[in-house]
Amino acid sequence: MQIPNLTEAKKRSNQEIFIKTDEYIVKEDLKKLGIGKHYFVKTYGCQMNEHDGENIKAILEDMSFTECETMEEADVILLNTCAIRENAHNKVFGYLGRVKHLKESKPNVIAGICGCMAQEEVVVEEIMKKHKYLDFVFGTHNIHELPMILNHTIETKSQQIQVYSKEGDIIENIPVKRTSQYKAWVNIMYGCDKFCTYCIVPYTRGKQRSRRHEDIIAEVNELKKEGYQEVTLLGQNVNAYGKDLSEDYRMEHLLTDVANTGIARVRFVTSHPWDFTDEMIDVIAAYDNIMPYIHLPLQSGSSRILKLMGRRYTKESYLELAHKIKERIPNCAFTTDIIVGFPGETEADFEETLEVVNELKYDSAFTFIFSPRVGTPAAKMEDDTPLSIKEERLQILNNLVNQHALEANQKYLNKVVPVLLEGISEKNDQLLMGYTDTMKLVNVKADAKWLGKIVNVKITDVKTWSMDGEVVEEI
Ligand code: 5AD
Ligand code: SF4
């Protein structure tokens, strides 16, 4: 039994991080554990979690489990959770009600949770007290131990909790079952050291650890060989890539080397304005296969609130950076994250956020109401703004963001743009769907033979969230 501890999770040690290439092992007898049995993994949250979900699925398949479509068919159920806001928590606890119910009629089903919520002391305490039917819990630092934990759960028939608060080494040999055949997530770093005052991530994901660039490039080369068209380099704060390594090899060098593999499309998320260098902008501008799309979280347009958030930039320096990027990469699409109702946010602070949004006219934005996370400094800040006002601000912000999103999309009407066709459209199964280089979702009238290809698409209609188009030709 190993339960998480917030004080430990907050610490940052200078202990060296090792790269381990043989840490993940499945013993011979465990390789047969899942023969004839099914698993169901439900993932919540960000791309990092999605990618962890791909690792978890591959590990379960290494143990001979087969994936199934619904929780009801499964012998092993795993919820891969997100802790970023209260509503992510509520969704998981809501779903657990269904799991409990299912286990009452099928007691042999094994159910567990993992991911960011599992790293939270308060959550694990609640699970131990109120969710005794859950069979196992593991965290973000020990995914590779899943075979052992699962086996132990079965053998002991007691609740197993195995969550480390301190991050471990980088494990390079965890298998992956990719969701798409055409685009792939590639981790470039783990954890975050920024400690923005509202954010739980530095506690749930540990200190910043960059992967070796040789390993990242080898993975991209392999993906390219397998026919992948697109990679998205993943990290909580990708622009800080390499700062924790001794070599002078940073994000601009990594982007250059990844682009030089010749893979058709390179993306990266998430950027923090603090570490966005001129060299990075130059590299993005220079390479056609680095997509002209930047997600640059603003969080607030008020320098006073940004300071309280611990964001390390001001409204002015953010605007300067954004304009610099727009000048150097003229066709670049811009998206952002914004939090309204941070403790102490006044009407005037909120107006400043609207000013920035009006000036930059984002292609789209993810907008949130501040959600206090236990253990973070912002959760203890005095907050006297009523929820109704915060909801009003969110509505005003969303209306403005949507107006700009539609205006940005309108510029695409009748234009021909490159789209990677990656699947069947959700709104109409006679259509394919894909994304432009600038990350616009397009539903496309196209023959199925174009699936997995980057094609020229003429945009025939635009909406706020998506566009319609038809194939002109393959590029
Ligand atoms: N409350 C509201 N939004 C948050 N985010 C992170 N932490 C919180 C929180 N406590 C938002 C930020 C971040 C995005 C991933 O989630 O905008 O960029
Ligand atoms: Fe959270 Fe800030 Fe790190 Fe992003 S940079 S993960 S918002 S602490």
Side-chain angles (χ1 to χ4, degrees):
M1 174 93 59
Q2 180 76 38
I3 57 177
N5 175 293
L6 198 77
T7 318
E8 280 303 308
K10 209 182 291 182
K11 285 186 189 155
R12 289 297 181 265
S13 76
N14 292 330
Q15 213 171 314
E16 193 179 344
I17 299 293
F18 294 97
I19 310 290
K20 303 223 164 126
T21 52
D22 53 6
E23 189 78 355
Y24 165 77
I25 36 167
V26 188
K27 293 209 192 98
E28 274 316 305
D29 51 331
L30 298 191
K31 283 197 171 152
K32 301 189 191 116
L33 198 74
I35 292 177
K37 294 195 173 134
H38 291 90
Y39 75 85
F40 178 69
V41 176
K42 187 167 174 62
T43 294
Y44 298 83
C46 67
Q47 293 97 334
M48 187 69 78
N49 247 26
E50 287 287 341
H51 189 40
D52 285 352
E54 294 183 332
N55 289 133
I56 289 164
K57 287 181 180 185
I59 294 175
L60 289 167
E61 296 197 3
D62 254 4
M63 301 171 78
S64 302
F65 288 96
T66 310
E67 186 168 14
C68 60
E69 296 283 313
T70 65
M71 176 177 85
E72 285 70 22
E73 300 161 78
D75 300 283
V76 174
I77 299 165
L78 189 47
L79 305 190
N80 181 23
T81 63
C82 166
I84 200 94
R85 283 171 294 275
E86 187 61 33
N87 59 357
H89 269 227
N90 294 345
K91 273 192 213 156
V92 169
F93 280 115
Y95 200 85
L96 280 182
R98 283 180 58 192
V99 174
K100 184 178 181 201
H101 189 70
L102 184 78
K103 284 204 57 159
E104 278 159 8
S105 58
K106 291 171 82 178
N108 289 335
V109 167
I110 294 176
I113 82 160
C114 63
C116 284
M117 271 173 73
Q119 292 291 142
E120 290 183 282
E121 209 174 312
V122 278
V123 169
V124 171
E125 275 167 10
E126 187 167 341
I127 287 171
M128 286 163 71
K129 267 195 229 130
K130 297 195 201 146
H131 301 273
K132 296 205 166 83
Y133 58 90
L134 274 180
D135 300 285
F136 66 105
V137 182
F138 64 94
T140 57
H141 303 314
N142 59 336
I143 289 175
H144 61 288
E145 291 183 350
L146 173 57
M148 201 186 72
I149 296 168
L150 195 54
N151 186 44
H152 212 56
T153 308
I154 295 167
E155 279 181 351
T156 62
K157 296 193 169 58
S158 65
Q159 191 178 58
Q160 296 297 312
I161 297 184
Q162 204 63 24
V163 181
Y164 306 120
S165 294
K166 191 181 170 312
E167 66 287 327
D169 293 315
I170 293 182
I171 319 285
E172 281 294 345
N173 67 328
I174 304 181
V176 55
K177 182 190 181 193
R178 299 200 186 264
T179 311
S180 165
Q181 289 168 263
Y182 316 121
K183 58 179 201 178
W185 310 114
V186 175
N187 274 327
I188 65 168
M189 63 202 299
Y190 303 95
C192 178
D193 290 341
K194 284 284 184 282
F195 284 99
C196 301
T197 58
Y198 51 81
C199 187
I200 194 76
V201 169
Y203 307 80
T204 61
R205 292 271 169 184
K207 84 168 174 180
Q208 174 173 324
R209 289 148 291 150
S210 298
R211 281 180 76 195
R212 279 193 308 219
H213 59 90
E214 298 91 329
D215 294 330
I216 299 168
I217 303 300
E219 186 173 342
V220 175
N221 274 323
E222 190 56 35
L223 286 163
K224 182 172 176 248
K225 220 161 68 190
E226 288 170 23
Y228 280 83
Q229 299 270 24
E230 179 176 306
V231 290
T232 301
L233 308 180
L234 279 187
Q236 302 298 345
N237 175 15
V238 288
N239 305 17
Y241 172 81
K243 282 187 152 187
D244 52 311
L245 301 175
S246 52
E247 251 180 299
D248 184 25
Y249 185 102
R250 295 288 154 80
M251 188 56 178
E252 56 268 24
H253 307 117
L254 182 67
L255 275 175
T256 307
D257 286 346
V258 171
N260 281 332
T261 62
I263 192 138
R265 287 181 159 195
V266 180
R267 300 187 188 279
F268 54 94
V269 279
T270 287
S271 294
H272 187 301
W274 171 259
D275 298 301
F276 217 119
T277 60
D278 287 357
E279 289 80 4
M280 264 187 73
I281 303 175
D282 288 343
V283 172
I284 300 165
Y287 283 87
D288 284 347
N289 60 344
I290 302 181
M291 296 298 98
Y293 163 71
I294 289 173
H295 183 69
L296 195 67
L298 167 69
Q299 312 300 6
S300 169
S302 152
S303 297
R304 192 181 72 84
I305 295 294
L306 286 169
K307 191 152 194 228
L308 290 173
M309 287 176 162
R311 288 292 287 177
R312 310 169 191 218
Y313 56 84
T314 60
K315 175 190 185 182
E316 290 71 28
S317 63
Y318 180 96
L319 282 170
E320 193 188 321
L321 172 65
H323 285 302
K324 198 170 9 174
I325 297 172
K326 278 177 181 252
E327 271 158 35
R328 291 284 285 120
I329 315 165
N331 58 337
C332 191
F334 251 96
T335 59
T336 197
D337 292 342
I338 297 171
I339 299 175
V340 300
F342 187 81
E345 183 190 70
T346 62
E347 210 51 43
D349 293 317
F350 176 62
E351 286 295 326
E352 291 203 71
T353 299
L354 296 180
E355 265 173 45
V356 176
V357 171
N358 260 327
E359 183 166 336
L360 293 177
K361 301 192 174 22
Y362 294 102
D363 288 83
S364 80
F366 299 96
T367 57
F368 314 100
I369 291 180
F370 167 73
S371 169
R373 313 311 301 132
V374 175
T376 61
K380 296 196 201 92
M381 293 179 189
E382 201 180 331
D383 186 3
D384 52 9
T385 313
L387 182 61
S388 59
I389 302 269
K390 296 188 182 194
E391 283 169 345
E392 232 170 73
R393 288 183 190 161
L394 185 69
Q395 197 53 51
I396 293 168
L397 176 62
N398 283 346
N399 289 344
L400 190 62
V401 163
N402 292 349
Q403 183 195 321
H404 292 151
L406 181 60
E407 281 167 17
N409 285 355
Q410 276 161 347
K411 294 189 187 130
Y412 282 70
L413 197 59
N414 295 322
K415 295 242 166 74
V416 174
V417 288
V419 176
L420 167 57
L421 292 173
E422 60 179 70
I424 308 292
S425 160
E426 274 182 22
K427 72 162 203 187
N428 178 345
D429 63 11
Q430 299 301 304
L431 302 177
L432 299 183
M433 55 72 66
Y435 290 88
T436 63
D437 51 352
T438 51
M439 205 64 179
K440 304 279 183 188
L441 171 62
V442 194
N443 292 301
V444 186
K445 214 188 282 174
D447 193 288
K449 72 176 182 191
W450 299 121
L451 211 52
K453 303 246 167 30
I454 298 172
V455 292
N456 271 330
V457 170
K458 182 168 181 198
I459 303 301
T460 52
D461 194 11
V462 298
K463 293 152 208 159
T464 305
W465 305 114
S466 68
M467 306 179 185
D468 294 334
E470 53 197 32
V471 171
V472 182
E473 68 193 44
E474 187 182 1
I475 290 177

